[in-house]
Each structure stands twice: as structure tokens, then as C-alpha cells.
Amino acid sequence: MLEIKNLHVKITQEDKPILKGIDLTIAEGEVHAIMGPNGSGKSTLAHVLAGRDDYEVTEGDILWNGESILEMAPDERAAAGVFLAFQYPMEIPGVAGLTFLRTALNALRRKRGQEELTTPEFMKRVKEKSAALNIDVEMLKRPVNVGFSGGEKKRSEILQMALLEPTLCVLDETDSGLDIDALRIVSDGVNALRSPDRAMLVITHYQRLLNHIVPDKVHVLAQGKIQRSGGKELALELEQSGYAEFGEKAA
Amino acid sequence: MSVAVMKTKAELSFAESFDRVQDRLPGSPAVKQVRRSAANKFAELGLPHRRIEEWKYTDLRSAVKDALPVRVGDATQMTIADVIVALGPLAKLETHRVVFVNGRYRKELSSPDQLAGLEFEDLSSVLSSGNENAAGLASLTGRDDDAVLSLNTAYMTDGAVVRIQASSDLMKPLLIAHVRAGAEPGFTAVRNVIDVGAKASAQIIEAFVSLPGAAKEGQANAATQITVGDEAKVVHVKCAADTGDGITHLSNWMIRLGRETDYAGFQLTQGVSLARNQIFVAFDGEDTKLDLSGVFLGRARDHIDTTLVVDHAVPSCESRELFKGVLDDQSRGVFQGKIIVQQIAQKTDGKQMSQGLLLSPDAEFDSKPELEIFADDVACGHGATCTELDKDLMFYCESRGIPSDIARGLLIESFIGEAVEKIDDEPIAEAVMEFARGWLEKT
Ligand SMILES: Nc1ncnc2c1ncn2[C@@H]1O[C@H](COP(=O)(O)OP(=O)(O)O)[C@@H](O)[C@H]1O
Ligand SMILES: [Mg+2]
């Protein structure tokens, strides 16, 4: 279970507060969506969950399975099951995708007390998961994300997620830049990972994604706070009314 | 320069040693004469210092505190198993191998297969032989005002004299291994002279490595002349990968390229406290491709300098340089790249890049690219960058569970990989990468 309690966050280098008291609880097996206007702090929340040190938690706490993760380094959080699918996946020139995936997977397995995978075992998994996401394994021999289209980058994020088997999946605008076919592939990939022992936080600006990944709950984040929470019908309502009522201009 | 300067301890010691050891250095009377005038030249020049423009970042007069005992003979016990240990990643390669220990050829450790196309002699035998070639080999440098080369000529004990016959293909690389061994620190001067015939294809690796248990300190002065015939293809790699603490490595590459040659040179420098790698390239024929690249890794107070001069004296040649340095602690990297395009050298295509990756706020990278262009129809450019590890990329890796030290290693590898990939031979490139990994693991 993820419990975010009265979370206040500012940028480490500055005094500017971004998150001003977030309360949010997601139980295993649940999928929650966070929607909100641009600049409301959605990506900040996602990065803080993953442990980015550009942000400083000034008040409140984040508990994952009952324990605070605030003091944990990003790789320790990953070992504890946290995964962030980036809004803007990074390109790593000179590091082959397969090397990257294998390094990450084996590092996680060591930390989780599992045996490292042999090359054939690893390749078998990569092939399986890539096929489901319509990713050509040849592409993974190239440097991570370099020269990939927007959609390919997003699919490669979901591939990483599928391979690393996290228990808390945070997806930051995974739908942005996807055409309708890619959106379906990515959503199918995410839905395949839905399970009773996995919690998901799906961040999006548009309601469209939530037709495919149907959430248990929807929250509206604006001005650094959760302004409203409701069921999946809240997303449809926002689609109609926009974010104007939350004091920020609609996109 | 007629100003009388006080000689330093090291300068006096290098000059005085000559009288003591000259009789034991290999060479016919004619060679001894060449050595004597080089020693006199060095006594006159002294060690290069910062008031000489090309040496302003690397002041040998203040950096070289003392001269280690000059090595003349060597009787270090050594087995093939030792050589394999010393060679590290290079031992895995299938090569024609010639081994020098503390500057002396060791036939019993070498295996220069006598295959058609490859002729090998040890320099010491050639110098002593009295044939008319000997004095020529001794004085071949043509860079008479270079104090480091003068020292080399005065004291060189041995090296590889290699001729690769026209139109031959070596099939596997020639590995010239210079191994530092034994508990006594010393100054070693070696010279390799390589002649690649027209239309030949060759891969040549020069290694400067050490055996575990070797003295922590050491001074090496290495000169290599390589002449590449028309239409030949050469991959030339130098790995100065020592493991000591207090190693000085002074090297000179003098490269002459014929017409339509394809020459790629690469230099790795790591585990060296003070390095000056000089590269001089002269083009003798048109339509030639030159590719120079290198990786240097520094930590503690290491100082690693690469200084190259590429002289386009004929039209229609291409030159590429890419040098990458990873600098930790208080180490300092220096890159000076001078590209000269003579008036006659129209259609020259030259591009140069040097990049430093600083791992510590106290590390430093000084880059001085220089273009001297006298022709008008040319495409030349240069660039230099100095960066730190990308924090966003580090976070991306760590968020996938990769611990920060491994993430750092991955990103550093990717940084130097671009230069290592210039080595157009996968096993050699992989061996170079493995050296670098070994160095990184000790960070
Ligand atoms: N690293 C940062 N440095 C400076 N400002 C930042 C940084 N991260 C976020 N912000 C600011 O915080 C606010 C929230 O940004 P973000 O979390 O990216 O919003 P969203 O993802 O909802 O569009 C914005 O005003 C943004 O400019
Ligand atoms: Mg965002």
C-alpha cells in the first residue's frame, strides 16, 4: 500500500513550493489516476516518489508497505518495487538497450535476493515482453532510446516496467505523443500488469488514456494540492468542464 | 635560447648518466656518435618547461623531480605466464607477440611467427650490427629540438624494428609489449620503427604495461616511427596501462602516410601519473584518411597531456581526431591539437574534437585546438567540451535499480565508447574497454 501523507515539496535549489500538502492512499490491486493542468506538480510528485534529489520534502511522508521511503536512494526504491515511467524518457548514447535492461534487471534481482538471469533466460524474457509491445528486439541492440520516435520511447518504458516487475507503477503522461494504435498497445501492456499485488498511479492530462486503463479512482491535482477525488466518471466530467474551476487555465 | 638556466637535479642526472652508461648501450661506433650528440643536445636543451609555448600546460622541468637510474641491461626473471598477467585484456587476443622487459628484447617470451610478410628484428641487434642502416635508425627522428626525443636517442636500449611487406595481410595483430617488472625503479627508453609496405594491411598494438609487484615508480620514454606505404590500411593502437603510482610516460609517435592510405591510430593512457603523448603526422600522398583518437583516464594528481600536430602538406586528405578524457580527484588533462593546412593542400577535410568528463570539482581539462589554414578550399572544424556526469541520466539509471557506482560506470563507458569504437577491430576495442573498466572499478 502507498500512503502519501501531507506531502510538501519544494525545489532543492530554490524556495519555491510545488506540492503543498498531498494526501493519497493507493491499496494493492488499485489503479488511481491523477489528472491536472500543466504545471500543477504531477511530474514533481512522480519524481519525488522515485527519489529524485532535485526536490526536497519539507513536510509529510511517503510510506510504501508501511515504511517511509524518503531516506531511500532511487535504486533502493526500485528494489522495493517502485517504478517510474518517465514523461520524457532519457536517451543514453553508447549504452545498448539490452545491456541497460540486463544491468538493471540483474541489479534488482541481486537486491531482491534472487539469482541473476543467464543470457538465454534473459533473452527469452526480453523477446516475450517485446513481442507483446510490438518492439523489435533488434531495436534494443541500439543505444537506449537514441533515435527512437516518441511512441517507441514510451513503449520502451513499458517494456522496462514489464521486465523489472515493480509493485508500484507510476506512469507519467505515458499517453502523450501516442497515436491511437500506439495508445492501445501501451494500454494493453499496462493492463497486462494489473494484478492484485500491484498498485498503479497513472498521471495524465487527458481523459483519453483512462478509456483504456480504467482507474478505480481519479484525483485532480491543481495548485499543488488534490482538489477533488472521485470515481472514473470524474475524468469524463473534467473532459467536459476543463480545469478552469480549479483556478488554473485549461490547456 | 641562450639564457643560462640552472639545471635541475633531474636534468643533471640525465646528462651525467650518459658518461656512465654509454659504453654499455647497444650500438656500432656510428650509433654511439649519434647517441653522444643527442646527449649533448639534451644537456643543452634541458627538460621542456612552461615558457616553451608547446609545453605551457606540462612543465616537465618542475614535474620530473629526479631521474630514475637509467636501465641498460636487464636480467629480470620472467615467464610467459607473467607476460600474460602483465598484458591483462590484451593477452586474450590472438597476436604475433614480441616482448620487451624493462627495455630489453626477450626472445624466449616472444612469438613473432615467421609468416610471409612480417619481418621483425630487435633494435638492439640492428644498432649493434654495424650495417649502414643502424646510424640511420638511431638518428631518424628529424625533430632535433625535442628534448624528450633527444633523451630517447641517447638512451634507447631496444625496440621493435618491423617491416610489413607490400600487399601482405598480417591476419592477426602484431603486439609489441613493453613490460615493466622488478622491484627496482628505473628509466627505460625504447624505440619502435615500423614500415608498412604499399597495399599491406596491418594491425599493430604497442603495450606499456607492468607486472604485479613491479616498483611503484617508473619512467618510460618511448618513440615510435611508422611509415605507411601507398594504399595500405593500418590500425595502430597504443595502450599505456600501468598500475604503478608515480609512473612517467613520455611518448612520441611520428607518422608518415603515403597516398590513399587508411590509417587509424588510437591511444589509451591510464595508471600513469605524468604523461605526455606527442603525435606528429605528415602526409606524403593525396587521398589519404587519417583517424586519430584516444582515451585518457586520470585520478589523484595524474597529469595527462596529448599534443598532436597534423600537417596537411598535400591536397585531398581527410583527418579526424577524437580524444576523450575522464578526470577524477585533482587530475588534469591536456589536449593540444594543431592542424596545419598548407597552401597547396586544397580539399582538405579536417575535424577535431576533444572532450573532458570531470568527475570531481577539482579536476581540470585544458584544451587548445589550433587551426592554421593557408589553403582556401577546405572544410575544417574543431570543438572542445568539458562536462560532468549527466544528473538526469544518472537518475534515470538509478530509478531502474542500477546502483550509482554501476550507473556511473555505464555512463563513463558510454562517454569513452565513442572514441574506443574508432578502433576498427572489435577484439582490440573490447580489450581497450576492459582496461578502462579495470581502471574504473578502482574508483
Ligand atoms: N527541477 C525544476 N526546476 C524548476 N522548476 C521546476 C522543476 N520541476 C518542476 N518545476 C516547476 O514546478 C511546477 C510543477 O511542474 P511539474 O511537476 O512538471 O508539473 P506537471 O507535470 O503537472 O506539468 C512548474 O511550475 C514547474 O515549472
Ligand atoms: Mg509533467
Side-chain angles (χ1 to χ4, degrees), chain A residues 15 52 62 70 76 104 107 111 124 127 150 188 190 217:
Chain A
D15 278 333
R52 174 96 211 201
I62 303 172
L70 290 186
E76 293 168 352
K111 281 190 219 154
K124 185 164 171 272
K127 280 182 189 146
D188 288 349
V190 174
K217 275 198 174 148

Side-chain angles (χ1 to χ4, degrees), chain A residues 11 16 18 37-44 55:
Chain A
I11 296 162
K16 181 181 165 189
I18 303 177
N38 284 329
S40 58
K42 303 185 297 296
S43 291
T44 300
Y55 303 103

Side-chain angles (χ1 to χ4, degrees), chain B residues 258-276:
Chain B
R259 177 182 44 80
E260 286 179 59
T261 60
D262 181 352
Y263 171 92
F266 178 94
Q267 298 194 335
L268 171 72
T269 308
Q270 65 179 56
V272 173
S273 301
L274 173 64
R276 166 86 165 191

Side-chain angles (χ1 to χ4, degrees), chain B residues 98 100 123 136-143 146 148-153 156 158-164 174-178 188-196 203-208 220-228 234-240 249-257 263-267 276-282 292 307 309:
Chain B
V98 292
F100 299 81
L123 179 71
L137 279 185
S139 59
L140 51 70
T141 71
R143 295 184 39 78
D146 190 313
V148 173
L149 273 171
S150 298
L151 265 187
N152 186 271
T153 303
M156 62 185 164
D158 219 334
V161 180
V162 176
R163 178 184 298 268
I164 294 156
L174 170 67
L175 172 59
I176 304 169
H178 292 282
T188 309
V190 291
R191 176 175 298 180
N192 299 318
V193 182
I194 301 161
D195 186 33
V196 182
Q203 295 159 323
I204 298 147
I205 307 168
E206 297 177 77
F208 293 84
N221 182 318
T224 298
Q225 170 167 296
I226 179 163
T227 310
V228 182
V234 174
V235 174
H236 183 194
V237 174
K238 176 169 76 104
C239 297
H249 179 86
L250 307 177
S251 80
N252 272 285
W253 267 12
M254 288 150 292
I255 305 165
R256 293 207 78 92
L257 302 175
Y263 171 92
F266 178 94
Q267 298 194 335
R276 166 86 165 191
N277 294 309
Q278 304 195 121
I279 305 175
F280 301 94
V281 186
L292 290 174
T307 293
V309 180

Side-chain angles (χ1 to χ4, degrees), chain B residues 312 314-319 341 345-350 377-380:
Chain B
H312 284 273
V314 297
S316 303
C317 291
E318 179 186 295
S319 61
V341 182
Q346 301 294 357
K347 309 271 183 225
T348 292
D349 173 0
D377 183 15
V378 301
C380 285

Side-chain angles (χ1 to χ4, degrees), chain A residues 52 75 84 93 111 157 160, chain B residues 392-393 396 398 400-401 414:
Chain A
R52 174 96 211 201
D75 61 311
L84 167 63
K111 281 190 219 154
E157 291 290 287
Q160 292 178 22
Chain B
D392 295 331
L393 287 183
Y396 189 62
E398 289 174 55
R400 268 59 182 139
S414 87

Side-chain angles (χ1 to χ4, degrees), chain A:
Chain A
M1 185 155 73
L2 175 70
E3 296 162 273
I4 301 174
K5 296 182 170 168
N6 189 31
L7 187 71
H8 287 69
V9 170
K10 73 174 190 72
I11 296 162
T12 307
Q13 300 295 327
E14 304 167 27
D15 278 333
K16 181 181 165 189
I18 303 177
L19 301 181
K20 303 165 190 165
I22 304 264
D23 286 285
L24 183 67
T25 300
I26 309 178
E28 269 89 18
E30 287 184 355
V31 175
H32 287 215
I34 289 196
M35 301 185 68
N38 284 329
S40 58
K42 303 185 297 296
S43 291
T44 300
L45 176 61
H47 280 88
V48 168
L49 285 169
R52 174 96 211 201
D53 68 0
D54 290 19
Y55 303 103
E56 190 182 314
V57 174
T58 52
E59 219 183 310
D61 206 349
I62 303 172
L63 306 183
W64 173 236
N65 297 330
E67 280 182 51
S68 173
I69 59 169
L70 290 186
E71 295 302 316
M72 289 163 71
D75 61 311
E76 293 168 352
R77 297 189 195 196
V82 179
F83 182 94
L84 167 63
F86 282 57
Q87 178 173 2
Y88 304 107
M90 312 290 314
E91 298 184 0
I92 319 183
V95 179
L98 286 171
T99 307
F100 181 73
L101 290 173
R102 190 163 179 195
T103 307
L105 183 57
N106 281 335
L108 281 180
R109 291 182 68 88
R110 281 196 302 273
K111 281 190 219 154
R112 291 174 183 164
Q114 298 163 316
E115 292 232 338
E116 293 189 18
L117 293 183
T118 63
T119 307
E121 286 167 341
F122 169 72
M123 284 312 296
K124 185 164 171 272
R125 287 196 192 194
V126 170
K127 280 182 189 146
E128 239 172 62
K129 315 264 184 205
S130 311
L133 287 159
N134 207 5
I135 293 174
D136 183 353
V137 177
E138 283 302 309
M139 241 170 67
L140 303 173
K141 294 179 180 164
R142 305 216 310 252
V144 179
N145 288 332
V146 175
F148 287 19
S149 70
E152 286 169 336
K153 284 182 185 169
K154 295 299 174 82
R155 274 186 280 151
S156 116
E157 291 290 287
I158 303 305
L159 172 65
Q160 292 178 22
M161 187 163 96
L163 274 170
L164 302 181
E165 299 180 324
T167 43
L168 174 62
C169 305
V170 181
L171 289 85
D172 191 4
E173 302 219 19
T174 296
D175 52 333
S176 66
L178 295 185
D179 62 28
I180 193 71
D181 292 328
L183 184 64
R184 189 168 300 122
I185 293 169
V186 163
S187 307
D188 288 349
V190 174
N191 285 329
L193 289 171
R194 287 180 86 144
S195 95
D197 48 17
R198 197 168 268 147
M200 290 193 185
L201 183 61
V202 178
I203 295 169
T204 182
H205 185 80
Y206 301 105
Q207 179 270 340
R208 182 177 78 144
L209 176 69
L210 304 180
N211 289 336
H212 299 271
I213 305 171
V214 180
D216 299 297
K217 275 198 174 148
V218 175
H219 311 275
V220 181
L221 178 64
Q223 298 184 324
K225 276 189 165 171
I226 304 260
Q227 305 285 351
R228 246 181 96 180
S229 297
K232 59 176 186 279
E233 58 298 337
L234 178 54
L236 289 167
E237 190 187 321
L238 287 167
E239 184 76 353
Q240 300 295 318
S241 59
Y243 296 112
E245 66 168 292
F246 303 106
E248 287 181 37
K249 63 176 171 37

